[in-house]
Amino acid sequence: MNDFQQPDQNRHDRDQELHRGLMAIWSNLPGWGSLSAVNHTTVGVRFMVTGAVFFLIGGVLAMLMRSQLALPDNTLIDAALYNQLFTMHGTVMMFLFAIPVLEGLGIYMVPKMTGTRDLLFPRIGAFGYYCYLFGGIIIMYSLFAGIAPDAGWFMYTPLSDAEFSPGRGSDFWLLGITFVEISAVSAGVELTVSILRGRAPGMTLTRMPIFCWSILAMSLMIVFGFPPLILASILLELERAASMPFFNVAAGGDPLLWQHLFWLFGHPEVYIIYLPAAGVVSTLIPVFARRPLVGYGWVVFSIVLMAFISFAIWAHHMFTVGIPVAAQAFFSIASMLVAIPTGIQVFSWLATLWSGRVVFALPMLWIFGFLVIFVCGGLTGVMLALVPFNWQVHDTHFVVAHMHYVLVGGMFFPMMAGLYYWLPLFSGRMPSENLGRWGFWLTFGGFNMTFLLMHLTGLLGMPRRVYTYESGLGWDWLNLLSSVGGFVMAAGIAVIIIDIAMHFRFGRKAPQNPWQADTLEWALEAPPPPYNFISIPSVSSRHPLWDNRNLAQEIAAGEHAMADFEHGRREVPYTSGLDARPQSIVHLPGNSWIPLQAATVMAVLCICLLTRWYLLAAVTAVISGVMLLRWSCFNGAHPQSAPVNDKRADDLQLHSRTLDGPGIRGMKVTIMADATLYLCLLFGWIYFWISPDRPLPDQMPLDVSVMVACSLFVLLANLSYLTAVRRAKAGMGTGLEYRLWLTCAFGLLHCISLAWILVFSPLQFTTLTHDALIMFAILYLMFHSVLALFLTLIQIQRYRAGYVSELLPYEFLVLAPWWIYTTVIAWSVLIIFAGLPMLWPIG
Amino acid sequence: MIIPLLVTACSGPLSILDPAGTAAAETAPLWWGMFGFFTLVLFAVVLAFVYAVRRTPRSHTEPGPDTSESDTPQLQRQHQVWIVGGGIVLPVATIVTLLVFGIPAGNRMAGVGIDPDQALHIEVTGYQWWWEVRYPNLSLTLRDEVHIPAGVPVRLHLTSADVIHSFWVPRIGQKLDMIPGHVNELLLQADAPGIYPGVCAEFCGLAHAHMKFSLHVHSPEDFAAWQTAQQPGAAE
Ligand code: HEM
Ligand SMILES: [Cu+2]
Ligand SMILES: [Cu+2]
């Protein structure tokens, strides 16, 4: 608290008043109450700190592995433990360190850079954090209990299935990671919508900082990239726990389907990790070169291009599984094309440095390390994309070296640059120069010693994932040096930790905007108050702080928009997507216990599934469903919380009084993720049909007439809901409730007929992949229908309570896309899952 | 002095840089070519960075930029050259060169143009954690040993009885996965008689590190003798 008082002295009375008023609205609750915090600054820091802890845990696992590999025929660690170590190291680093830290950075930074006070779904952010934390703890527990997953971080079946991994290890992975992914996807949705609709007025897309572009790309890639893995994990867990054979060869499944789904996620994943880090580089380089980034448009283009290409090259992880030659050529060339957007970025950085005059501060040293290591990793990546070479070095230590060059070079080094760069904002103090340089050189030297040599180890034929090796293969000295290098790097990281810890006490007080940066976060006082900006600036260029050197003072003096607190609401602007014209004011929820409660119940659900207490799991699932539905009922939409036609000075209304708002956008982005999952299921279905010699049932297991009836019911429900929405939008209140009830009635008929199909169809879902896939599709549809039904019932209740009406139709609009999507799946299940087998007559 | 050192450092019983088969002989030069060229690229980029940073350094305390002056047209053209040259021309030229060498090499390795029926046919099945090697024409089954003649292509049919494994003799040729429910075909040709170690390259559980086999390459005459010796009628 002390930190806030010092600058207060030279404030005018009005500043003081604004500051205190906003603090009263935006502060977290004190003490344990801060667990109810939803503020993006708090949530972002929690993500990053937790991620850093997981990085250290993952690092310890790596050190254990390197100790074992230091000498040939070493017996320090046995195979069983080593397999858990590399599986957990990879899993922790990818899922519990890299992604969450980058999300945390995005959550922390995006509102500050886009000149607003918070993200648009604060509770979702907090909920995501708790899912991540609890999921991480559950996964880590397995390691301490000695039953950790041990089939590698990509969990190939059949090795990971019930037959070859009978223990609980794979279940921990599948359930724990899926739980953590909820957090990733929710952060992805939150960031996408907030970046597109929550920027300060005037910050058009072309004026948006590159960092926000890269976080936007990351978020959209999460939205489209994670569903394949979520689906694959659910399918594999069903195969393990409920014997539904999706990947089992005897029943008609294929282990390669797992690989396709995994890498359909796994490849975009590495760009999800790289893009935000590259965004950090594009932010820092212009600041230290003290000139605008060269080729802003080119860099944005290359980010978008990279995001697209990364979804078309997953099979380059599968060149040795025997896919057709033409497919190999396609994936090989597509993979090499990634060099183009990467090259554009690298050369625009070089050109920026070249035509500026550079201040070589500590963050730039880390950028130097990034450049050396990442470019090297990128070049070995191009080598690996060359199929004949890949056939030789795939699954050797060459690949281990390559992936650490891109992951550590492309993510860890830029993050360290960013850490040192933003530290003064976070703590109000400057980082040291000396100790920091020691930390860098030890890390950089140790890293290269470990992994540069490892390329040669791989070329000499050492496969990856071996817990030991015999002497005399030429690998001994290489491995020993790699291990020594690993410990040097660990020492470097220890120095960094000491450096950062000491800076909080001994660091020089940072002046405002110490690096003379151009982006809005540096207009904040350090450490940033929970409301960020006292008044919301309107942005007129890419470099607001370079153009107007008094902007920080003006903002603090409340000279810009929304400098009011008398309403007592957390308010942020809602702006149009392209040109950031103000459209309405979003009334955000404040501190809330709901995220913690919901995540806790879901953690209990996860544990019940792990221990296979299915009865308890069912009960918890119902409770968590109720909690999540209840969640939507707590918002400020009631007319009593603000008059419906409250005219404000700026002529803007609260979003819940308009026809557009974050909820609608969030719903649409969520449906995009959901639809991706469904498309992956269709991919699995089509993959099944084009595989040779798959076993089929003797007769079509679904009763088509019931399926048609079922799809008609949902169509009618959908139509009557949409009529209700249309009438509400037109301001016609009569017959609204009747139409909602009609929707529910049709919805109920639809659910009943679905249940009938589920119960009475002769589906052999434990012996045939064909039937297991159909079963899954029907369950998936059922989930959506039941949810649509309950959400409509809630709307009826909200209508009666006055939250929604023909004057306030906003919430009706939020639900509409869900009904439409449910109808679309129902018909596509009818056509594709019931219809396709009829075209392709069985038997 | 460097070269002999390099050669000894790069040889080894499992080294792909020490080829003893036609396929491995395709990839070793690919590696050296890429290694040389990419080292140049890496050094050029890093030097450009270091030079750019050192050229006209600025001290911490100097005031920030003056964005009112925008880049001169001449500077803008320079930027265009940087980005188009480094971001498009360089990668495209590199990719084209790689493909020009890589595609024919890949085709030769995959055995395009070789009549598979001519080649000796062997079926290898992976088990946790050993290899079953069958010679269908000889009705012969071996464990963890493959015998082939030198100088002619052999055709291996690879599959697995349990989890995924991968068949790899680094000095002879590329690896190929052994996947339950799939049969993958690998064509290999060894240059000279000898014993070449092979390993499982796909993680397959507890004893993956110990899942090895040896490839015995015989001269054609020795191979014929070996074949007859293995026939059921032959004396032990
Ligand atoms: C701190 C220094 C690090 C060291 C010394 C290290 C060391 C290792 C080692 C020895 C392996 C096992 C290789 C094998 O047997 O196949 C490995 C695998 C792996 N590492 Fe690291 N690592 C480090 C940092 C990282 C970081 C920062 C990341 C990601 C951001 C990462 C991601 C991975 C992945 C994905 C695997 C593959 C795991 C698997 O095969 O299932 N590592 N690392
Ligand atoms: Cu990839
Ligand atoms: Cu193996």
Side-chain angles (χ1 to χ4, degrees):
Chain A
M1 283 285 95
N2 267 336
D3 301 316
F4 294 128
Q5 264 140 39
Q6 190 247 347
D8 283 357
Q9 285 152 9
N10 26 24
R11 272 198 180 141
H12 307 298
D13 288 351
R14 173 65 184 159
D15 301 16
Q16 276 290 358
E17 194 192 328
L18 279 169
H19 170 67
R20 271 198 301 272
L22 286 168
M23 281 303 280
I25 298 173
W26 286 87
S27 294
N28 301 336
L29 300 178
W32 286 104
S34 74
L35 291 181
S36 68
V38 296
N39 183 282
H40 77 103
T41 301
T42 310
V43 173
V45 170
R46 285 182 186 168
F47 261 106
M48 288 189 278
V49 170
T50 314
V53 172
F54 279 118
F55 171 72
L56 295 179
I57 296 177
V60 170
L61 303 183
M63 290 302 99
L64 289 172
M65 285 190 284
R66 278 303 348 153
S67 310
Q68 162 66 13
L69 293 179
L71 299 171
D73 295 317
N74 202 353
T75 50
L76 184 68
I77 289 171
D78 63 9
L81 180 58
Y82 187 88
N83 294 350
Q84 297 184 18
L85 288 180
F86 73 71
T87 305
M88 288 297 281
H89 165 75
T91 305
V92 166
M93 288 296 190
M94 302 299 269
F95 293 103
L96 303 180
F97 160 62
I99 300 269
V101 164
L102 294 166
E103 279 168 4
L105 184 67
I107 289 173
Y108 182 86
M109 225 25 113
V110 161
K112 298 185 173 65
M113 277 196 173
T114 54
T116 181
R117 289 183 179 144
D118 208 336
L119 297 172
L120 295 180
F121 306 112
R123 291 179 300 185
I124 298 268
F127 174 68
Y129 173 71
Y130 288 119
C131 288
Y132 158 53
L133 178 67
F134 295 156
I137 292 175
I138 290 173
I139 295 172
M140 288 320 299
Y141 165 79
S142 72
L143 187 65
F144 296 115
I147 48 171
D150 58 0
W153 85 281
F154 36 77
M155 281 277 138
Y156 277 1
T157 62
L159 186 60
S160 58
D161 73 10
E163 187 183 348
F164 297 102
S165 294
R168 282 285 174 277
S170 301
D171 301 314
F172 269 100
W173 195 94
L174 295 166
L175 294 167
I177 291 299
T178 303
F179 195 29
V180 171
E181 279 165 355
I182 298 175
S183 126
V185 174
S186 57
V189 173
E190 180 183 27
L191 284 166
T192 305
V193 177
S194 302
I195 294 175
L196 286 177
R197 307 307 296 254
R199 303 190 304 275
M203 184 179 278
T204 59
L205 274 187
T206 50
R207 289 179 192 150
M208 193 162 78
I210 291 281
F211 179 77
C212 297
W213 273 107
S214 62
I215 293 289
L216 177 62
M218 170 192 91
S219 309
L220 282 169
M221 288 176 72
I222 289 179
V223 166
F224 293 109
F226 274 56
L229 181 59
I230 296 180
L231 175 74
S233 303
I234 297 175
L235 295 184
L236 184 53
E237 184 56 28
L238 283 173
E239 173 164 320
R240 289 177 57 87
S243 323
M244 289 169 76
F246 295 103
F247 307 106
N248 184 311
V249 175
D254 189 344
L256 287 188
L257 177 60
W258 169 270
Q259 298 193 10
H260 281 295
L261 291 176
F262 185 91
W263 291 116
L264 205 47
F265 146 82
H267 192 81
E269 151 104 345
V270 300
Y271 288 85
I272 289 171
I273 290 175
Y274 166 68
L275 277 179
V280 171
V281 177
S282 294
T283 309
L284 265 59
I285 283 191
V287 171
F288 288 100
R290 301 270 163 91
R291 58 148 294 129
L293 182 68
V294 169
Y296 173 95
W298 280 102
V299 174
V300 170
F301 165 74
S302 73
I303 291 173
V304 176
L305 186 64
M306 218 171 205
F308 273 99
I309 297 182
S310 74
F311 280 92
I313 57 185
W314 77 90
H316 69 202
H317 298 266
M318 300 168 62
F319 283 145
T320 63
V321 304
I323 47 178
V325 176
Q328 300 206 18
F330 170 81
F331 285 109
S332 164
I333 295 171
S335 306
M336 290 182 183
L337 290 182
V338 175
I340 293 174
T342 316
I344 292 177
Q345 290 184 11
V346 169
F347 281 89
S348 76
W349 296 329
L350 288 178
T352 309
L353 290 171
W354 201 278
S355 42
R357 287 180 46 220
V358 181
V359 182
F360 202 75
L362 187 54
M364 277 306 281
L365 197 56
W366 285 96
I367 298 276
F368 165 75
F370 151 79
L371 193 92
V372 176
I373 296 178
F374 179 74
V375 170
C376 179
L379 292 170
T380 54
V382 176
M383 295 184 185
L384 283 169
L386 191 68
V387 177
F389 184 66
N390 181 292
W391 284 339
Q392 275 287 34
V393 292
H394 173 72
D395 265 337
T396 66
H397 270 71
F398 188 91
V399 170
V400 179
H402 156 73
M403 86 193 163
H404 286 87
Y405 264 79
V406 279
L407 289 172
V408 177
M411 187 268 172
F412 179 76
F413 274 73
M415 289 312 281
M416 290 307 301
L419 176 66
Y420 277 112
Y421 172 71
W422 279 303
L423 211 49
L425 181 65
F426 177 74
S427 67
R429 290 168 187 275
M430 296 302 284
S432 81
E433 283 283 327
N434 262 332
L435 206 52
R437 278 172 202 272
W438 270 96
F440 170 79
W441 285 110
L442 282 172
T443 312
F444 182 77
F447 174 84
N448 283 300
M449 184 170 172
T450 311
F451 292 105
L452 190 65
L453 294 172
M454 201 182 279
H455 291 104
L456 182 56
T457 323
L459 292 171
L460 294 183
M462 180 162 167
R464 69 190 278 202
R465 299 178 167 180
V466 292
Y467 77 102
T468 191
Y469 54 95
E470 57 199 61
S471 191
L473 301 171
W475 309 340
D476 304 9
W477 62 282
L478 290 167
N479 274 303
L480 184 61
L481 288 178
S482 280
S483 295
V484 173
F487 282 94
V488 174
M489 182 172 174
I493 289 174
V495 171
I496 295 166
I497 294 174
I498 295 171
D499 182 31
I500 305 265
M502 297 223 311
H503 117 282
F504 279 103
R505 244 190 105 64
F506 303 112
R508 186 160 57 77
K509 277 252 178 292
Q512 172 130 37
N513 194 359
W515 314 113
Q516 307 196 22
D518 57 336
T519 41
L520 281 173
E521 79 273 23
W522 294 105
L524 301 178
E525 53 184 308
Y531 55 79
N532 285 348
F533 298 92
I534 286 199
S535 57
I536 305 289
S538 79
V539 177
S540 54
S541 84
R542 266 180 218 156
H543 316 284
L545 294 193
W546 282 348
D547 293 350
N548 177 358
R549 273 154 214 278
N550 296 324
L551 192 59
Q553 285 72 23
E554 290 174 18
I555 289 173
E559 289 173 20
H560 293 268
M562 294 176 71
D564 51 354
F565 59 87
E566 289 78 5
H567 46 66
R569 290 188 292 260
R570 294 192 180 190
E571 288 191 340
V572 296
Y574 185 74
T575 46
S576 62
L578 279 179
D579 46 5
R581 264 177 299 101
Q583 290 191 328
S584 58
I585 300 289
V586 181
H587 173 187
L588 293 178
N591 297 321
S592 162
W593 292 99
I594 301 177
L596 178 58
Q597 290 163 352
T600 310
V601 178
M602 294 193 60
V604 174
L605 174 61
C606 183
I607 294 170
C608 291
L609 290 174
L610 270 171
T611 45
R612 306 212 169 153
W613 293 336
Y614 290 125
L615 202 64
L616 199 56
V619 176
T620 345
V622 172
I623 298 177
S624 63
V626 172
M627 296 196 66
L628 292 175
L629 290 175
R630 197 175 137 259
W631 177 326
S632 62
C633 299
F634 289 89
N635 56 33
H638 201 273
Q640 275 160 14
S641 69
V644 170
N645 274 322
D646 170 27
K647 276 278 174 235
R648 304 162 51 104
D650 47 15
D651 236 14
L652 295 173
Q653 289 190 335
L654 290 187
H655 76 281
S656 52
R657 275 84 184 121
T658 67
L659 297 180
D660 189 3
I664 296 177
R665 306 288 155 176
M667 176 62 96
K668 288 185 178 162
V669 179
T670 310
I671 288 178
M672 291 196 303
D674 195 3
T676 313
L677 189 138
Y678 183 67
L679 285 178
C680 292
L681 180 67
L682 286 185
F683 174 81
W685 178 242
I686 290 165
Y687 190 87
F688 170 83
W689 278 93
I690 59 177
S691 307
D693 306 329
R694 73 260 153 198
L696 291 172
D698 305 328
Q699 63 178 67
M700 174 63 199
L702 294 180
D703 185 337
V704 175
S705 52
V706 187
M707 288 285 294
V708 171
C710 169
S711 310
L712 284 175
F713 286 137
V714 73
L715 185 64
L716 289 172
N718 187 2
L719 290 179
S720 90
Y721 187 77
L722 292 184
T723 337
V725 172
R726 208 176 46 241
R727 293 177 68 96
K729 268 164 82 175
M732 292 187 279
T734 44
L736 232 124
E737 191 178 341
Y738 153 73
R739 285 197 163 72
L740 292 176
W741 280 116
L742 196 65
T743 309
C744 290
F746 282 126
L748 189 65
L749 284 173
H750 165 71
C751 290
I752 291 173
S753 48
L754 256 187
W756 192 94
I757 293 172
L758 215 52
V759 175
F760 294 107
S761 303
L763 285 167
Q764 298 161 272
F765 59 84
T766 56
T767 45
L768 290 177
T769 303
H770 176 268
D771 289 10
L773 284 166
I774 292 183
M775 177 83 170
F776 187 83
I778 293 176
L779 286 173
Y780 175 83
L781 170 59
M782 185 120 180
F783 171 80
H784 287 78
S785 323
V786 171
L787 200 56
L789 186 59
F790 276 108
L791 288 171
T792 315
L793 285 172
I794 290 178
Q795 284 303 308
I796 295 179
Q797 188 264 329
R798 308 257 311 155
Y799 175 74
R800 294 188 153 183
Y803 286 94
V804 216
S805 67
E806 66 278 10
L807 300 176
L808 292 172
Y810 174 70
E811 284 185 23
F812 285 158
L813 298 176
V814 176
L815 183 53
W818 188 262
W819 268 113
I820 297 174
Y821 179 62
T822 307
T823 313
V824 170
I825 324 174
W827 283 88
S828 100
V829 168
L830 172 69
I831 294 168
I832 301 175
F833 282 88
L836 186 73
M838 289 164 60
L839 292 180
W840 229 307
I842 287 176
Chain B
M1 205 207 84
I2 298 268
I3 291 186
L5 202 71
L6 260 181
V7 170
T8 38
C10 292
S11 63
L14 289 161
S15 171
I16 70 167
L17 303 179
D18 189 5
T22 45
E26 298 284 354
T27 44
L30 282 181
W31 154 255
W32 287 115
M34 292 192 292
F35 175 61
F37 179 57
F38 286 170
T39 308
L40 281 181
V41 174
L42 178 65
F43 272 94
V45 169
V46 172
L47 281 180
F49 181 93
V50 172
Y51 179 69
V53 168
R54 287 286 173 90
R55 215 165 49 111
T56 42
R58 187 197 294 257
S59 89
H60 260 299
T61 43
E62 261 180 81
D66 184 10
T67 40
S68 58
E69 70 184 50
S70 58
D71 295 340
T72 59
Q74 191 208 353
L75 199 56
Q76 282 177 3
R77 259 197 312 281
Q78 264 181 33
H79 292 158
Q80 215 69 12
V81 171
W82 273 98
I83 292 181
V84 175
I88 296 179
V89 177
L90 177 67
V92 170
T94 313
I95 294 172
V96 170
T97 320
L98 283 189
L99 292 176
V100 164
F101 289 100
I103 291 178
N107 283 340
R108 286 191 297 269
M109 286 172 76
V112 174
I114 294 181
D115 177 4
D117 294 331
Q118 299 268 296
L120 173 68
H121 175 190
I122 307 174
E123 289 175 357
V124 187
T125 307
Y127 289 82
Q128 278 181 324
W129 291 273
W130 58 281
W131 316 77
E132 181 193 74
V133 182
R134 292 197 324 116
Y135 291 76
N137 306 343
L138 306 179
S139 52
L140 173 70
T141 306
L142 302 174
R143 186 182 167 119
D144 295 348
E145 267 181 29
V146 188
H147 292 257
I148 61 166
V152 292
V154 291
R155 184 161 58 113
L156 297 145
H157 277 184
L158 307 173
T159 188
S160 166
D162 40 44
V163 304
I164 302 176
H165 305 273
S166 189
F167 181 97
W168 190 34
V169 191
R171 292 191 58 203
I172 306 296
Q174 71 267 34
K175 63 178 71 65
L176 194 57
D177 290 357
M178 316 169 87
I179 303 169
H182 293 251
V183 177
N184 279 332
E185 184 174 283
L186 177 66
L187 277 157
L188 286 183
Q189 177 173 339
D191 296 335
I195 300 179
Y196 302 92
V199 293
C200 174
E202 179 65 54
F203 177 64
C204 56
L206 215 52
H208 164 62
H210 301 298
M211 186 166 163
K212 299 172 183 158
F213 64 96
S214 47
L215 180 75
H216 298 250
V217 181
H218 305 275
S219 65
E221 309 81 61
D222 288 355
F223 186 71
W226 175 82
Q227 268 183 330
T228 21
Q230 298 298 322
Q231 288 309 309
E236 276 298 288

